[in-house]
Amino acid sequence: MIDNKPVLAIIPARGGSKGVPRKNIRNLSGKPLIAWTIEAAKKSSYIDRLIVSTDDEEIAAVAREWGCEVPFMRPAELAQDHTPGIDPVLHAMEMLPGYDFTVLLQPTSPLRVTEDIDACLEQCVREAANACVSVTHTDKSPFWMYQLSDFGKLLPILESEQPVLRRQDAPEVFVLNGAVYVAKSSWLHQHRTFLHVETTGYVMPKDRSLDIDTRLDFAFVETIMNEKLHQVEK
């Protein structure tokens, strides 16, 4: 609990990953990908109930093997390529009512640590916010991003009276990193999104903000993890 309010954490893990088949249970530095998120969440000071929402029996079995509850199987219609990401969360909330805060933890963010989960919840309570999501700095400022016209001319994404020519003159910009999403359950049920004008951002360092979507991402994250494990063993 946090602020005497119970917390439900949901790890969504459907079986039909296209970019990296069976991604959620693929081995990453000695553990299934999903296990890294389960272990981080289980150490949280605030999460009262941790579940995996999946349509896949093998993923469910792996989740249980790593000590996570799978209280129901997700309906197939909520595990399609076109299914909005919020739908499995709302479904889990309906199946398991009575929690004041809902936390979404995507298994594709294995570098996220327990402190990130708890700090995001703490920020949400401290700032009396309805929602808080994790973000990280980005070097790719939208002030240097363009579209191309039909005639090949540069069309700036952001309009500015004065062009920003130096990196140090560009405003600080953040990007969603997909690691932690927190919201008051009643508010989330009403708005059906974590991202809203009322949402605050919890800043995470870049080295914990990598999201796995492709085989290259998988190899890159595994290299980082193996290096960290090697440093710990020294």
Side-chain angles (χ1 to χ4, degrees):
M1 300 179 79
I2 186 168
D3 198 29
N4 291 317
K5 295 178 174 63
V7 178
L8 171 68
I10 303 161
I11 302 174
R14 72 187 185 97
S17 172
K18 293 289 170 58
V20 183
R22 313 303 293 163
K23 172 174 62 179
N24 289 311
I25 53 176
R26 181 170 174 165
N27 185 283
L28 176 68
S29 295
K31 302 175 187 177
L33 174 61
I34 197 171
W36 294 96
T37 294
I38 291 172
E39 289 190 330
K42 287 182 68 176
K43 296 175 185 175
S44 169
S45 298
Y46 305 119
I47 293 173
D48 295 282
R49 191 170 187 181
L50 172 67
I51 71 155
V52 163
S53 168
T54 186
D55 62 313
D56 188 281
E57 292 288 355
E58 187 179 10
I59 292 176
V62 171
R64 293 188 181 107
E65 180 182 341
W66 285 88
C68 189
E69 186 182 358
V70 187
F72 54 81
M73 296 301 292
R74 190 196 307 179
E77 61 268 23
L78 295 180
Q80 304 303 311
D81 291 342
H82 60 269
T83 301
I86 192 63
D87 285 5
V89 176
L90 295 172
H91 172 259
M93 290 169 60
E94 292 173 3
M95 296 292 289
L96 303 170
Y99 293 88
D100 291 303
F101 283 95
T102 298
V103 180
L104 166 62
L105 301 171
Q106 298 187 129
T108 50
S109 297
L111 296 173
R112 166 236 300 111
V113 296
T114 304
E115 288 74 12
D116 295 318
I117 300 170
D118 287 356
C120 201
L121 275 160
E122 290 166 356
Q123 180 172 317
C124 198
V125 170
R126 183 176 63 252
E127 298 183 1
N130 285 314
C132 181
V133 303
S134 57
V135 298
T136 194
H137 287 94
T138 177
D139 295 327
K140 297 177 176 61
S141 173
F143 285 91
W144 299 313
M145 292 183 180
Y146 299 85
Q147 293 177 317
L148 286 177
S149 74
D150 293 339
F151 303 100
K153 292 186 177 180
L154 293 176
L155 303 175
I157 296 294
L158 295 181
E159 296 292 342
S160 177
E161 293 183 4
Q162 295 291 332
V164 179
L165 300 178
R166 300 191 309 164
R167 183 180 299 275
Q168 56 266 42
D169 292 335
E172 209 170 22
V173 180
F174 299 88
V175 63
L176 297 172
N177 68 359
V180 188
Y181 297 79
V182 171
K184 293 179 180 177
S185 299
S186 57
W187 179 91
L188 184 60
H189 187 268
Q190 177 185 357
H191 292 280
R192 303 179 67 84
T193 180
F194 287 93
L195 303 175
H196 190 272
V197 293
E198 299 173 9
T199 303
T200 64
Y202 163 68
V203 181
M204 284 175 56
K206 287 184 180 179
D207 63 355
R208 297 205 302 270
S209 295
L210 296 172
D211 179 68
I212 293 179
D213 187 49
T214 66
R215 293 179 186 274
L216 182 61
D217 295 334
F218 222 103
F220 184 49
V221 170
E222 186 159 46
T223 298
I224 293 173
M225 287 186 136
N226 289 344
E227 178 62 27
K228 287 184 177 181
L229 290 172
H230 180 68
Q231 290 175 355
V232 170
E233 292 172 355
K234 280 186 176 181

mmCIF file of all heavy atoms in Angstrom, residues 156-196:
data_model
loop_
_atom_site.group_PDB
_atom_site.id
_atom_site.type_symbol
_atom_site.label_atom_id
_atom_site.label_comp_id
_atom_site.label_asym_id
_atom_site.label_seq_id
_atom_site.Cartn_x
_atom_site.Cartn_y
_atom_site.Cartn_z
ATOM 1 N N PRO A 156 9.668 22.054 -40.855
ATOM 2 C CA PRO A 156 9.933 21.767 -39.442
ATOM 3 C C PRO A 156 8.714 21.185 -38.736
ATOM 4 O O PRO A 156 7.584 21.601 -38.980
ATOM 5 C CB PRO A 156 10.316 23.137 -38.871
ATOM 6 C CG PRO A 156 9.728 24.130 -39.819
ATOM 7 C CD PRO A 156 9.754 23.491 -41.170
ATOM 8 N N ILE A 157 8.958 20.204 -37.875
ATOM 9 C CA ILE A 157 7.892 19.615 -37.073
ATOM 10 C C ILE A 157 7.338 20.652 -36.101
ATOM 11 O O ILE A 157 6.132 20.755 -35.886
ATOM 12 C CB ILE A 157 8.404 18.385 -36.304
ATOM 13 C CG1 ILE A 157 8.824 17.279 -37.267
ATOM 14 C CG2 ILE A 157 7.352 17.863 -35.321
ATOM 15 C CD1 ILE A 157 7.689 16.691 -38.071
ATOM 16 N N LEU A 158 8.264 21.422 -35.490
ATOM 17 C CA LEU A 158 7.862 22.470 -34.551
ATOM 18 C C LEU A 158 8.169 23.837 -35.148
ATOM 19 O O LEU A 158 9.282 24.079 -35.627
ATOM 20 C CB LEU A 158 8.600 22.314 -33.217
ATOM 21 C CG LEU A 158 8.305 21.057 -32.406
ATOM 22 C CD1 LEU A 158 9.113 21.081 -31.110
ATOM 23 C CD2 LEU A 158 6.816 20.955 -32.079
ATOM 24 N N GLU A 159 7.204 24.703 -35.110
ATOM 25 C CA GLU A 159 7.412 26.064 -35.570
ATOM 26 C C GLU A 159 8.096 26.869 -34.470
ATOM 27 O O GLU A 159 7.791 26.731 -33.291
ATOM 28 C CB GLU A 159 6.086 26.725 -35.933
ATOM 29 C CG GLU A 159 5.375 26.064 -37.114
ATOM 30 C CD GLU A 159 6.121 26.270 -38.430
ATOM 31 O OE1 GLU A 159 6.969 27.192 -38.486
ATOM 32 O OE2 GLU A 159 5.864 25.515 -39.382
ATOM 33 N N SER A 160 9.063 27.705 -34.840
ATOM 34 C CA SER A 160 9.767 28.551 -33.884
ATOM 35 C C SER A 160 10.112 29.875 -34.544
ATOM 36 O O SER A 160 10.492 29.911 -35.718
ATOM 37 C CB SER A 160 11.045 27.841 -33.403
ATOM 38 O OG SER A 160 11.770 28.654 -32.526
ATOM 39 N N GLU A 161 9.956 30.959 -33.773
ATOM 40 C CA GLU A 161 10.272 32.281 -34.329
ATOM 41 C C GLU A 161 11.744 32.374 -34.686
ATOM 42 O O GLU A 161 12.116 32.975 -35.694
ATOM 43 C CB GLU A 161 9.895 33.374 -33.320
ATOM 44 C CG GLU A 161 8.395 33.496 -33.082
ATOM 45 C CD GLU A 161 8.060 34.626 -32.135
ATOM 46 O OE1 GLU A 161 8.996 35.359 -31.733
ATOM 47 O OE2 GLU A 161 6.875 34.775 -31.796
ATOM 48 N N GLN A 162 12.588 31.801 -33.836
ATOM 49 C CA GLN A 162 14.026 31.784 -34.090
ATOM 50 C C GLN A 162 14.495 30.335 -34.162
ATOM 51 O O GLN A 162 14.203 29.550 -33.265
ATOM 52 C CB GLN A 162 14.784 32.519 -32.977
ATOM 53 C CG GLN A 162 14.484 34.004 -32.899
ATOM 54 C CD GLN A 162 15.045 34.758 -34.101
ATOM 55 O OE1 GLN A 162 16.045 34.342 -34.704
ATOM 56 N NE2 GLN A 162 14.393 35.855 -34.477
ATOM 57 N N PRO A 163 15.193 29.954 -35.223
ATOM 58 C CA PRO A 163 15.668 28.572 -35.303
ATOM 59 C C PRO A 163 16.656 28.255 -34.184
ATOM 60 O O PRO A 163 17.467 29.103 -33.811
ATOM 61 C CB PRO A 163 16.353 28.514 -36.677
ATOM 62 C CG PRO A 163 16.698 29.932 -37.001
ATOM 63 C CD PRO A 163 15.611 30.765 -36.385
ATOM 64 N N VAL A 164 16.548 27.045 -33.631
ATOM 65 C CA VAL A 164 17.470 26.609 -32.582
ATOM 66 C C VAL A 164 18.642 25.921 -33.273
ATOM 67 O O VAL A 164 18.521 24.807 -33.775
ATOM 68 C CB VAL A 164 16.766 25.641 -31.604
ATOM 69 C CG1 VAL A 164 17.748 25.185 -30.528
ATOM 70 C CG2 VAL A 164 15.548 26.303 -30.977
ATOM 71 N N LEU A 165 19.793 26.598 -33.287
ATOM 72 C CA LEU A 165 20.933 26.103 -34.041
ATOM 73 C C LEU A 165 21.953 25.376 -33.172
ATOM 74 O O LEU A 165 22.707 24.538 -33.663
ATOM 75 C CB LEU A 165 21.623 27.268 -34.763
ATOM 76 C CG LEU A 165 20.738 28.036 -35.753
ATOM 77 C CD1 LEU A 165 21.515 29.200 -36.360
ATOM 78 C CD2 LEU A 165 20.211 27.119 -36.836
ATOM 79 N N ARG A 166 21.991 25.702 -31.871
ATOM 80 C CA ARG A 166 22.968 25.073 -30.988
ATOM 81 C C ARG A 166 22.258 24.127 -30.014
ATOM 82 O O ARG A 166 21.184 24.444 -29.501
ATOM 83 C CB ARG A 166 23.741 26.124 -30.191
ATOM 84 C CG ARG A 166 24.515 27.123 -31.046
ATOM 85 C CD ARG A 166 25.452 27.950 -30.179
ATOM 86 N NE ARG A 166 24.748 28.528 -29.025
ATOM 87 C CZ ARG A 166 25.364 29.036 -27.949
ATOM 88 N NH1 ARG A 166 26.677 28.994 -27.874
ATOM 89 N NH2 ARG A 166 24.653 29.555 -26.969
ATOM 90 N N ARG A 167 22.882 22.975 -29.753
ATOM 91 C CA ARG A 167 22.288 21.989 -28.862
ATOM 92 C C ARG A 167 22.008 22.583 -27.481
ATOM 93 O O ARG A 167 20.969 22.325 -26.885
ATOM 94 C CB ARG A 167 23.223 20.793 -28.732
ATOM 95 C CG ARG A 167 22.670 19.665 -27.881
ATOM 96 C CD ARG A 167 23.661 18.506 -27.795
ATOM 97 N NE ARG A 167 23.939 17.950 -29.102
ATOM 98 C CZ ARG A 167 23.185 17.026 -29.690
ATOM 99 N NH1 ARG A 167 22.106 16.564 -29.090
ATOM 100 N NH2 ARG A 167 23.510 16.561 -30.877
ATOM 101 N N GLN A 168 22.926 23.407 -26.976
ATOM 102 C CA GLN A 168 22.758 23.963 -25.637
ATOM 103 C C GLN A 168 21.628 24.990 -25.559
ATOM 104 O O GLN A 168 21.195 25.352 -24.462
ATOM 105 C CB GLN A 168 24.068 24.577 -25.122
ATOM 106 C CG GLN A 168 24.681 25.642 -26.031
ATOM 107 C CD GLN A 168 25.706 25.067 -26.978
ATOM 108 O OE1 GLN A 168 25.486 24.002 -27.538
ATOM 109 N NE2 GLN A 168 26.833 25.746 -27.126
ATOM 110 N N ASP A 169 21.150 25.452 -26.707
ATOM 111 C CA ASP A 169 20.045 26.416 -26.718
ATOM 112 C C ASP A 169 18.680 25.735 -26.812
ATOM 113 O O ASP A 169 17.647 26.381 -26.639
ATOM 114 C CB ASP A 169 20.191 27.380 -27.908
ATOM 115 C CG ASP A 169 21.397 28.292 -27.751
ATOM 116 O OD1 ASP A 169 21.810 28.530 -26.594
ATOM 117 O OD2 ASP A 169 21.941 28.741 -28.777
ATOM 118 N N ALA A 170 18.683 24.454 -27.097
ATOM 119 C CA ALA A 170 17.417 23.727 -27.242
ATOM 120 C C ALA A 170 16.828 23.447 -25.866
ATOM 121 O O ALA A 170 17.549 23.157 -24.915
ATOM 122 C CB ALA A 170 17.647 22.411 -27.983
ATOM 123 N N PRO A 171 15.516 23.561 -25.731
ATOM 124 C CA PRO A 171 14.885 23.247 -24.444
ATOM 125 C C PRO A 171 15.031 21.769 -24.116
ATOM 126 O O PRO A 171 15.202 20.932 -25.002
ATOM 127 C CB PRO A 171 13.419 23.628 -24.668
ATOM 128 C CG PRO A 171 13.222 23.579 -26.139
ATOM 129 C CD PRO A 171 14.522 23.967 -26.746
ATOM 130 N N GLU A 172 14.989 21.463 -22.814
ATOM 131 C CA GLU A 172 15.093 20.084 -22.375
ATOM 132 C C GLU A 172 13.873 19.306 -22.868
ATOM 133 O O GLU A 172 12.736 19.734 -22.684
ATOM 134 C CB GLU A 172 15.168 20.037 -20.843
ATOM 135 C CG GLU A 172 15.915 18.875 -20.295
ATOM 136 C CD GLU A 172 16.169 19.012 -18.805
ATOM 137 O OE1 GLU A 172 15.452 19.768 -18.128
ATOM 138 O OE2 GLU A 172 17.085 18.338 -18.310
ATOM 139 N N VAL A 173 14.120 18.165 -23.479
ATOM 140 C CA VAL A 173 13.037 17.382 -24.066
ATOM 141 C C VAL A 173 13.086 15.955 -23.505
ATOM 142 O O VAL A 173 14.159 15.381 -23.329
ATOM 143 C CB VAL A 173 13.145 17.341 -25.610
ATOM 144 C CG1 VAL A 173 12.014 16.518 -26.202
ATOM 145 C CG2 VAL A 173 13.108 18.752 -26.173
ATOM 146 N N PHE A 174 11.893 15.410 -23.237
ATOM 147 C CA PHE A 174 11.799 14.062 -22.678
ATOM 148 C C PHE A 174 10.944 13.187 -23.588
ATOM 149 O O PHE A 174 10.078 13.669 -24.320
ATOM 150 C CB PHE A 174 11.168 14.105 -21.283
ATOM 151 C CG PHE A 174 11.954 14.915 -20.290
ATOM 152 C CD1 PHE A 174 11.738 16.275 -20.161
ATOM 153 C CD2 PHE A 174 12.925 14.316 -19.506
ATOM 154 C CE1 PHE A 174 12.466 17.029 -19.248
ATOM 155 C CE2 PHE A 174 13.662 15.055 -18.591
ATOM 156 C CZ PHE A 174 13.430 16.413 -18.465
ATOM 157 N N VAL A 175 11.198 11.885 -23.497
ATOM 158 C CA VAL A 175 10.442 10.924 -24.292
ATOM 159 C C VAL A 175 9.965 9.809 -23.363
ATOM 160 O O VAL A 175 10.639 9.469 -22.383
ATOM 161 C CB VAL A 175 11.322 10.351 -25.428
ATOM 162 C CG1 VAL A 175 12.508 9.587 -24.871
ATOM 163 C CG2 VAL A 175 10.512 9.475 -26.370
ATOM 164 N N LEU A 176 8.802 9.253 -23.657
ATOM 165 C CA LEU A 176 8.317 8.106 -22.896
ATOM 166 C C LEU A 176 9.288 6.951 -23.064
ATOM 167 O O LEU A 176 9.759 6.691 -24.174
ATOM 168 C CB LEU A 176 6.933 7.679 -23.397
ATOM 169 C CG LEU A 176 5.778 8.672 -23.243
ATOM 170 C CD1 LEU A 176 4.547 8.150 -23.975
ATOM 171 C CD2 LEU A 176 5.466 8.896 -21.773
ATOM 172 N N ASN A 177 9.579 6.230 -21.975
ATOM 173 C CA ASN A 177 10.466 5.082 -22.101
ATOM 174 C C ASN A 177 9.745 3.747 -21.895
ATOM 175 O O ASN A 177 10.343 2.682 -22.029
ATOM 176 C CB ASN A 177 11.661 5.192 -21.138
ATOM 177 C CG ASN A 177 11.261 5.074 -19.683
ATOM 178 O OD1 ASN A 177 10.088 4.917 -19.346
ATOM 179 N ND2 ASN A 177 12.236 5.146 -18.803
ATOM 180 N N GLY A 178 8.451 3.798 -21.569
ATOM 181 C CA GLY A 178 7.638 2.583 -21.495
ATOM 182 C C GLY A 178 7.864 1.714 -20.273
ATOM 183 O O GLY A 178 7.350 0.599 -20.213
ATOM 184 N N ALA A 179 8.603 2.206 -19.268
ATOM 185 C CA ALA A 179 8.990 1.354 -18.146
ATOM 186 C C ALA A 179 7.947 1.279 -17.039
ATOM 187 O O ALA A 179 7.666 0.203 -16.519
ATOM 188 C CB ALA A 179 10.323 1.832 -17.566
ATOM 189 N N VAL A 180 7.394 2.435 -16.634
ATOM 190 C CA VAL A 180 6.461 2.477 -15.507
ATOM 191 C C VAL A 180 5.304 3.420 -15.822
ATOM 192 O O VAL A 180 5.520 4.554 -16.240
ATOM 193 C CB VAL A 180 7.140 2.955 -14.204
ATOM 194 C CG1 VAL A 180 6.192 2.794 -13.016
ATOM 195 C CG2 VAL A 180 8.451 2.225 -13.941
ATOM 196 N N TYR A 181 4.090 2.924 -15.607
ATOM 197 C CA TYR A 181 2.891 3.737 -15.744
ATOM 198 C C TYR A 181 2.087 3.590 -14.446
ATOM 199 O O TYR A 181 1.795 2.470 -14.029
ATOM 200 C CB TYR A 181 2.020 3.278 -16.909
ATOM 201 C CG TYR A 181 2.658 3.393 -18.279
ATOM 202 C CD1 TYR A 181 3.582 2.441 -18.723
ATOM 203 C CD2 TYR A 181 2.330 4.435 -19.138
ATOM 204 C CE1 TYR A 181 4.152 2.532 -19.980
ATOM 205 C CE2 TYR A 181 2.894 4.531 -20.403
ATOM 206 C CZ TYR A 181 3.805 3.573 -20.815
ATOM 207 O OH TYR A 181 4.372 3.670 -22.059
ATOM 208 N N VAL A 182 1.728 4.696 -13.826
ATOM 209 C CA VAL A 182 0.969 4.681 -12.578
ATOM 210 C C VAL A 182 -0.237 5.601 -12.718
ATOM 211 O O VAL A 182 -0.137 6.669 -13.327
ATOM 212 C CB VAL A 182 1.846 5.169 -11.397
ATOM 213 C CG1 VAL A 182 1.003 5.357 -10.139
ATOM 214 C CG2 VAL A 182 2.988 4.206 -11.134
ATOM 215 N N ALA A 183 -1.368 5.196 -12.160
ATOM 216 C CA ALA A 183 -2.547 6.065 -12.161
ATOM 217 C C ALA A 183 -3.488 5.674 -11.036
ATOM 218 O O ALA A 183 -3.502 4.524 -10.581
ATOM 219 C CB ALA A 183 -3.285 5.996 -13.498
ATOM 220 N N LYS A 184 -4.280 6.636 -10.594
ATOM 221 C CA LYS A 184 -5.380 6.333 -9.695
ATOM 222 C C LYS A 184 -6.402 5.526 -10.487
ATOM 223 O O LYS A 184 -6.778 5.899 -11.603
ATOM 224 C CB LYS A 184 -6.005 7.626 -9.174
ATOM 225 C CG LYS A 184 -5.091 8.435 -8.266
ATOM 226 C CD LYS A 184 -5.767 9.726 -7.813
ATOM 227 C CE LYS A 184 -4.840 10.528 -6.909
ATOM 228 N NZ LYS A 184 -5.456 11.829 -6.510
ATOM 229 N N SER A 185 -6.839 4.430 -9.934
ATOM 230 C CA SER A 185 -7.673 3.493 -10.686
ATOM 231 C C SER A 185 -8.979 4.109 -11.163
ATOM 232 O O SER A 185 -9.395 3.898 -12.311
ATOM 233 C CB SER A 185 -7.950 2.249 -9.834
ATOM 234 O OG SER A 185 -6.748 1.593 -9.498
ATOM 235 N N SER A 186 -9.646 4.864 -10.316
ATOM 236 C CA SER A 186 -10.921 5.469 -10.706
ATOM 237 C C SER A 186 -10.722 6.460 -11.844
ATOM 238 O O SER A 186 -11.531 6.530 -12.775
ATOM 239 C CB SER A 186 -11.573 6.158 -9.506
ATOM 240 O OG SER A 186 -10.703 7.142 -8.957
ATOM 241 N N TRP A 187 -9.639 7.216 -11.784
ATOM 242 C CA TRP A 187 -9.324 8.193 -12.840
ATOM 243 C C TRP A 187 -8.995 7.465 -14.146
ATOM 244 O O TRP A 187 -9.436 7.867 -15.222
ATOM 245 C CB TRP A 187 -8.146 9.051 -12.387
ATOM 246 C CG TRP A 187 -7.690 10.092 -13.356
ATOM 247 C CD1 TRP A 187 -8.103 11.388 -13.446
ATOM 248 C CD2 TRP A 187 -6.692 9.927 -14.385
ATOM 249 N NE1 TRP A 187 -7.435 12.043 -14.454
ATOM 250 C CE2 TRP A 187 -6.567 11.169 -15.043
ATOM 251 C CE3 TRP A 187 -5.903 8.854 -14.795
ATOM 252 C CZ2 TRP A 187 -5.675 11.355 -16.087
ATOM 253 C CZ3 TRP A 187 -5.024 9.048 -15.844
ATOM 254 C CH2 TRP A 187 -4.921 10.288 -16.481
ATOM 255 N N LEU A 188 -8.214 6.380 -14.049
ATOM 256 C CA LEU A 188 -7.828 5.627 -15.233
ATOM 257 C C LEU A 188 -9.051 4.991 -15.890
ATOM 258 O O LEU A 188 -9.172 4.974 -17.122
ATOM 259 C CB LEU A 188 -6.815 4.542 -14.852
ATOM 260 C CG LEU A 188 -6.216 3.712 -15.987
ATOM 261 C CD1 LEU A 188 -5.477 4.596 -16.981
ATOM 262 C CD2 LEU A 188 -5.270 2.643 -15.428
ATOM 263 N N HIS A 189 -9.957 4.489 -15.083
ATOM 264 C CA HIS A 189 -11.176 3.894 -15.622
ATOM 265 C C HIS A 189 -11.995 4.936 -16.371
ATOM 266 O O HIS A 189 -12.597 4.651 -17.413
ATOM 267 C CB HIS A 189 -12.004 3.281 -14.491
ATOM 268 C CG HIS A 189 -13.188 2.501 -14.968
ATOM 269 N ND1 HIS A 189 -14.439 3.069 -15.132
ATOM 270 C CD2 HIS A 189 -13.315 1.196 -15.346
ATOM 271 C CE1 HIS A 189 -15.279 2.148 -15.577
ATOM 272 N NE2 HIS A 189 -14.624 1.017 -15.718
ATOM 273 N N GLN A 190 -11.985 6.162 -15.878
ATOM 274 C CA GLN A 190 -12.754 7.243 -16.509
ATOM 275 C C GLN A 190 -12.094 7.719 -17.800
ATOM 276 O O GLN A 190 -12.771 7.904 -18.821
ATOM 277 C CB GLN A 190 -12.887 8.414 -15.542
ATOM 278 C CG GLN A 190 -13.602 9.625 -16.137
ATOM 279 C CD GLN A 190 -13.612 10.819 -15.198
ATOM 280 O OE1 GLN A 190 -13.122 10.742 -14.067
ATOM 281 N NE2 GLN A 190 -14.157 11.935 -15.654
ATOM 282 N N HIS A 191 -10.774 7.917 -17.785
ATOM 283 C CA HIS A 191 -10.083 8.518 -18.936
ATOM 284 C C HIS A 191 -9.539 7.489 -19.924
ATOM 285 O O HIS A 191 -9.207 7.836 -21.063
ATOM 286 C CB HIS A 191 -8.961 9.425 -18.443
ATOM 287 C CG HIS A 191 -9.444 10.653 -17.733
ATOM 288 N ND1 HIS A 191 -9.905 11.770 -18.388
ATOM 289 C CD2 HIS A 191 -9.571 10.920 -16.408
ATOM 290 C CE1 HIS A 191 -10.273 12.686 -17.522
ATOM 291 N NE2 HIS A 191 -10.087 12.200 -16.302
ATOM 292 N N ARG A 192 -9.376 6.245 -19.485
ATOM 293 C CA ARG A 192 -8.942 5.146 -20.349
ATOM 294 C C ARG A 192 -7.584 5.415 -21.015
ATOM 295 O O ARG A 192 -7.318 4.996 -22.126
ATOM 296 C CB ARG A 192 -10.008 4.850 -21.419
ATOM 297 C CG ARG A 192 -11.364 4.513 -20.839
ATOM 298 C CD ARG A 192 -12.383 4.255 -21.933
ATOM 299 N NE ARG A 192 -12.081 3.046 -22.676
ATOM 300 C CZ ARG A 192 -12.432 1.824 -22.310
ATOM 301 N NH1 ARG A 192 -13.117 1.639 -21.198
ATOM 302 N NH2 ARG A 192 -12.112 0.765 -23.054
ATOM 303 N N THR A 193 -6.716 6.100 -20.301
ATOM 304 C CA THR A 193 -5.361 6.348 -20.774
ATOM 305 C C THR A 193 -4.510 6.835 -19.612
ATOM 306 O O THR A 193 -5.011 7.503 -18.699
ATOM 307 C CB THR A 193 -5.315 7.387 -21.912
ATOM 308 O OG1 THR A 193 -3.944 7.565 -22.326
ATOM 309 C CG2 THR A 193 -5.875 8.728 -21.468
ATOM 310 N N PHE A 194 -3.216 6.494 -19.641
ATOM 311 C CA PHE A 194 -2.287 7.026 -18.651
ATOM 312 C C PHE A 194 -1.786 8.407 -19.070
ATOM 313 O O PHE A 194 -1.271 9.152 -18.244
ATOM 314 C CB PHE A 194 -1.075 6.101 -18.494
ATOM 315 C CG PHE A 194 -1.358 4.818 -17.753
ATOM 316 C CD1 PHE A 194 -1.710 3.667 -18.451
ATOM 317 C CD2 PHE A 194 -1.255 4.750 -16.371
ATOM 318 C CE1 PHE A 194 -1.941 2.468 -17.775
ATOM 319 C CE2 PHE A 194 -1.501 3.564 -15.690
ATOM 320 C CZ PHE A 194 -1.847 2.424 -16.393
ATOM 321 N N LEU A 195 -1.900 8.707 -20.363
ATOM 322 C CA LEU A 195 -1.333 9.933 -20.919
ATOM 323 C C LEU A 195 -2.409 10.988 -21.077
ATOM 324 O O LEU A 195 -3.339 10.853 -21.886
ATOM 325 C CB LEU A 195 -0.671 9.635 -22.258
ATOM 326 C CG LEU A 195 0.430 8.567 -22.200
ATOM 327 C CD1 LEU A 195 0.944 8.257 -23.589
ATOM 328 C CD2 LEU A 195 1.562 9.017 -21.284
ATOM 329 N N HIS A 196 -2.278 12.053 -20.310
ATOM 330 C CA HIS A 196 -3.313 13.076 -20.217
ATOM 331 C C HIS A 196 -2.627 14.370 -19.809
ATOM 332 O O HIS A 196 -1.483 14.364 -19.347
ATOM 333 C CB HIS A 196 -4.339 12.630 -19.158
ATOM 334 C CG HIS A 196 -5.580 13.435 -19.081
ATOM 335 N ND1 HIS A 196 -5.686 14.559 -18.302
ATOM 336 C CD2 HIS A 196 -6.792 13.265 -19.676
ATOM 337 C CE1 HIS A 196 -6.903 15.055 -18.411
ATOM 338 N NE2 HIS A 196 -7.592 14.307 -19.244
#
